[in-house]
C-alpha cells in the first residue's frame, strides 16, 4: 500500500493502538507496580512495630478492620495505610492509593495533596508532613474499607493485587491521551538500540543523570530498553554516538562530535495537525542546517495528509522521509530502509 492509498484516519487508528500497547508496558515498568508486593513483604518482619490502636482515627471501618485483623493470611500493613509507614516510606503511598482505586488526580481533588512527586521519590528524600500523612491515610483507608465491606468478608490477597493492577491501568490510560508523541519517540529510540545491538556496535549507554557511563552488557539490554527514559543515548564502537533529546529528537554524532544526522519523530495521529507537525520538524531541521550545511535530516512521521506529503517530497531540507506506521508494522523493506539510512550516516 502506498502513502497515497492510506486513509489518514485509518492510519491514525493503527498507529494509536500500536503506540498505546508499548506505552502501557513502559509505564507499568516505570511505575514499578509489580515491585509493590515484594516491598510490602519486606516490611512484614517488622509489622509488630506498627501499632494500630488509633485505627478509628485513620479512617478504617470497624468491620473492615476486624476482618483483616482476623484474616488467616492477610496482614494489616498489606491492606491499610499506616500514617507512620508512609512517612518512613513515602513512595508506598502509590501502593495504598491504588488498592483504594484512587487516581493521583482524585487524591489531589479530594484532599488537596499532589502525590505525583512523592510516589516517584524512590530515594525517600521527600519528607511527608504529619498532617499530610494523616489525611492521605484516612482517604485511602476509607475507600479500602468500602471495598472490603462490599466484598462481604471474602477479600483475598489475589484480589487486592488485582485492584492494584486495575487501578494502575486506569492511571496509565488516563495519561496516554497526552503522550502519543512522546511514546513514538521512545519506540524509535528502542528500535535504534535494538538495531545497534544486532549490528554488535553498542559500546556503552549514556545516563541522563550523573557522569558514570554504563558499559554495554548484553545480558541487561532488556532492562535498558524498559528504562529508556533514564538514558541520554548510546556510544558506538565505531567512535560515534546517538543522542536522544528534543529539537531534534535524535542526533547522530561523528567521532569528532559533529552532528552529521538529525531525526525528527512525529507520532501525532490527528490529521488536522499534520501540517503543524511538519512545520515543527522543518524548523528543527533548519536549525541543524544552519550549524552544519552537510547534515542529513530524517523525518519519520505518520498520519501525513496529501498536502503535507507533497510538501515533504518537494522539500530539499528533508533528506529522507519514512512512514512511522509502516516501519512499526514490521514491513521488512521499510524497516531496513530506515535503519540503513540511519546507520549509513554513522559509518561515514
Amino acid at each position: 500500500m502506498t502513502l497515497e492509498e492510506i486513509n489518514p484516519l485509518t492510519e491514525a487508528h493503527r498507529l494509536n493502538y500500536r503506540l498505546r500497547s508499548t506505552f502501557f508496558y513502559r509505564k507499568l515498568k516505570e511505575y514499578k507496580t509489580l515491585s509493590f508486593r515484594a516491598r510490602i513483604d519486606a516490611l512484614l518482619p517488622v509489622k509488630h512495630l506498627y501499632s494500630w490502636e488509633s485505627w478509628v482515627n485513620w479512617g478504617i471501618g470497624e468491620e473492615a478492620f476486624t476482618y483483616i485483623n482476623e484474616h488467616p493470611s492477610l496482614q494489616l500493613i498489606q491492606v491499610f495505610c499506616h500514617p507512620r509507614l508512609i512517612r518512613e516510606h513515602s513512595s508506598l503511598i502509590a501502593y495504598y492509593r491504588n488498592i483504594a482505586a484512587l487516581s493521583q488526580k482524585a487524591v489531589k481533588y479530594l484532599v488537596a495533596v499532589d502525590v505525583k512527586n512523592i510516589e516517584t521519590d524512590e530515594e525517600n528524600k521527600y519528607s511527608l508532613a504529619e498532617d499530610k500523612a494523616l489525611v492521605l491515610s484516612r482517604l485511602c483507608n476509607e475507600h479500602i474499607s468500602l471495598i472490603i465491606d462490599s466484598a462481604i468478608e471474602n477479600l483475598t490477597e489475589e484480589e487486592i493485587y488485582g485492584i492494584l493492577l486495575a487501578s494502575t491501568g486506569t492511571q496509565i490510560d488516563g495519561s496516554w491521551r497526552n503522550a502519543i508523541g512522546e511514546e513514538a519517540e521512545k519506540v524509535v529510540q528502542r528500535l535504534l538500540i535494538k538495531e545497534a545491538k544486532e549490528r554488535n556496535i553498542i559500546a556503552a549507554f549514556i545516563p541522563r543523570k550523573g557522569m558514570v557511563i554504563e558499559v554495554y552488557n548484553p545480558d541487561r539490554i532488556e532492562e535498558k530498553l524498559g528504562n529508556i527514559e533514564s538514558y541520554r543515548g548510546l556510544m558506538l564502537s565505531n567512535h560515534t554516538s546517538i543522542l536522544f533529546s528534543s529539537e531534534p529528537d535524535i542526533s547522530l554524532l561523528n567521532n569528532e562530535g559533529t552532528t552529521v544526522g538529525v531525526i525528527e519523530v512525529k507520532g501525532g495521529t490527528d490529521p488536522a495537525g499534520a501540517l503543524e507537525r511538519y512545520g515543527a520538524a522543518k524548523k528543527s531541521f533548519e536549525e541543524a542546517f544552519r550549524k552544519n550545511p552537510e547534515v542529513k535530516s530524517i523525518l519519520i512521521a505518520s498520519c501525513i495528509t496529501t498536502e503535507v506529503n507533497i510538501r515533504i517530497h518537494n522539500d530539499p531540507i528533508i533528506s529522507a522521509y519514512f512512514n512511522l506506521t509502516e516501519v512499526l508494522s514490521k514491513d521488512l523493506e521499510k524497516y531496513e530502509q530506515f535503519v540503513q539510512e540511519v546507520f549509513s550516516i554513522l559509518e561515514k
Side-chain angles (χ1 to χ4, degrees):
M1 181 178 291
T2 65
L3 180 64
E4 290 75 15
E5 295 173 322
I6 299 175
N7 182 295
L9 187 57
T10 300
E11 183 185 5
H13 288 313
R14 290 175 59 196
L15 180 64
N16 183 74
Y17 285 113
R18 289 182 187 279
L19 295 179
R20 184 176 182 274
S21 296
T22 61
F23 180 79
F24 263 67
Y25 175 72
R26 184 168 66 84
K27 283 298 181 180
L28 187 64
K29 300 265 288 186
E30 181 182 321
Y31 292 161
K32 296 180 173 60
T33 305
L34 300 181
S35 71
F36 281 140
R37 178 177 293 202
R39 293 169 65 185
I40 293 297
D41 287 348
L43 290 171
L44 293 181
V46 295
K47 64 182 181 181
H48 62 284
L49 298 178
Y50 292 96
S51 171
W52 294 90
E53 292 181 0
S54 300
W55 58 268
V56 174
N57 191 42
W58 299 339
I60 304 175
E62 182 176 357
E63 292 184 2
F65 180 81
T66 301
Y67 174 66
I68 299 300
N69 195 37
E70 297 177 355
H71 199 284
S73 58
L74 289 174
Q75 305 298 323
L76 289 170
I77 64 172
Q78 286 180 291
V79 181
F80 297 119
C81 183
H82 193 296
R84 180 161 68 88
L85 188 150
I86 60 173
R87 293 196 71 189
E88 297 168 345
H89 309 276
S90 56
S91 62
L92 283 179
I93 292 173
Y95 171 77
Y96 297 105
R97 175 182 61 76
N98 279 303
I99 289 179
L102 290 165
S103 66
Q104 292 176 338
K105 184 177 181 180
V107 171
K108 187 174 182 179
Y109 176 77
L110 293 171
V111 294
V113 178
D114 189 345
V115 296
K116 184 176 182 180
N117 292 332
I118 305 174
E119 293 182 355
T120 57
D121 180 24
E122 292 298 322
E123 298 180 1
N124 282 318
K125 294 181 179 179
Y126 188 94
S127 179
L128 185 63
E130 179 181 350
D131 57 340
K132 289 185 177 180
L134 183 58
V135 297
L136 287 171
S137 296
R138 284 175 175 170
L139 177 65
C140 291
N141 290 333
E142 286 170 358
H143 285 257
I144 293 170
S145 295
L146 289 172
I147 292 172
I148 295 173
D149 291 345
S150 68
I152 315 176
E153 299 188 354
N154 193 36
L155 188 70
T156 65
E157 184 175 3
E158 288 72 23
E159 289 172 335
I160 287 176
Y161 287 101
I163 295 171
L164 179 72
L165 290 171
S167 182
T168 302
T170 301
Q171 179 176 330
I172 295 173
D173 187 56
S175 61
W176 160 244
R177 297 179 182 90
N178 299 317
I180 297 175
E182 176 191 350
E183 184 60 21
E185 294 175 25
K186 295 294 185 292
V187 166
V188 174
Q189 290 171 7
R190 288 194 292 269
L191 183 154
L192 293 178
I193 292 174
K194 287 184 177 181
E195 182 63 25
K197 170 183 176 292
E198 292 300 316
R199 294 173 180 244
N200 197 30
I201 58 174
I202 300 179
F205 284 83
I206 306 170
R208 289 197 178 276
K209 297 181 179 179
M211 296 293 293
V212 180
I213 298 296
E214 299 183 20
V215 177
Y216 173 58
N217 180 347
D219 295 332
R220 299 184 62 189
I221 187 66
E222 291 303 322
E223 175 189 334
K224 306 299 183 188
L225 292 172
N227 296 290
I228 197 167
E229 64 280 349
S230 299
Y231 299 97
R232 173 163 165 69
L234 61 161
M235 302 172 68
L236 304 181
S237 57
N238 63 352
H239 304 167
T240 63
S241 302
I242 301 176
L243 297 183
F244 309 138
S245 56
S246 60
E247 295 187 12
D249 296 320
I250 300 172
S251 297
L252 310 177
L253 277 55
N254 67 10
N255 58 2
E256 296 179 354
T258 301
T259 301
V260 291
V262 290
I263 304 172
E264 278 291 333
V265 182
K266 298 301 177 186
T269 58
D270 180 11
L275 187 59
E276 181 180 350
R277 293 192 294 272
Y278 160 70
K282 182 177 175 65
K283 181 179 179 181
S284 177
F285 290 153
E286 287 174 341
E287 178 62 19
F289 270 86
R290 187 183 66 79
K291 297 176 180 178
N292 177 17
E294 301 299 320
V295 73
K296 298 295 182 181
S297 61
I298 301 173
L299 174 62
I300 177 165
S302 189
C303 200
I304 297 297
T305 61
T306 301
E307 178 186 355
V308 174
N309 182 41
I310 294 173
R311 293 196 185 195
I312 288 174
H313 286 88
N314 290 317
D315 193 337
I317 207 169
I318 298 179
S319 305
Y321 161 71
F322 296 92
N323 183 284
L324 180 58
T325 309
E326 291 179 345
V327 172
L328 298 184
S329 67
K330 300 304 179 184
D331 183 319
L332 189 58
E333 180 182 356
K334 298 297 182 182
Y335 172 85
E336 290 294 341
Q337 287 177 1
F338 171 64
V339 296
Q340 183 56 36
E341 183 73 29
V342 173
F343 286 94
S344 64
I345 295 172
L346 292 168
E347 292 170 356
K348 294 178 181 178

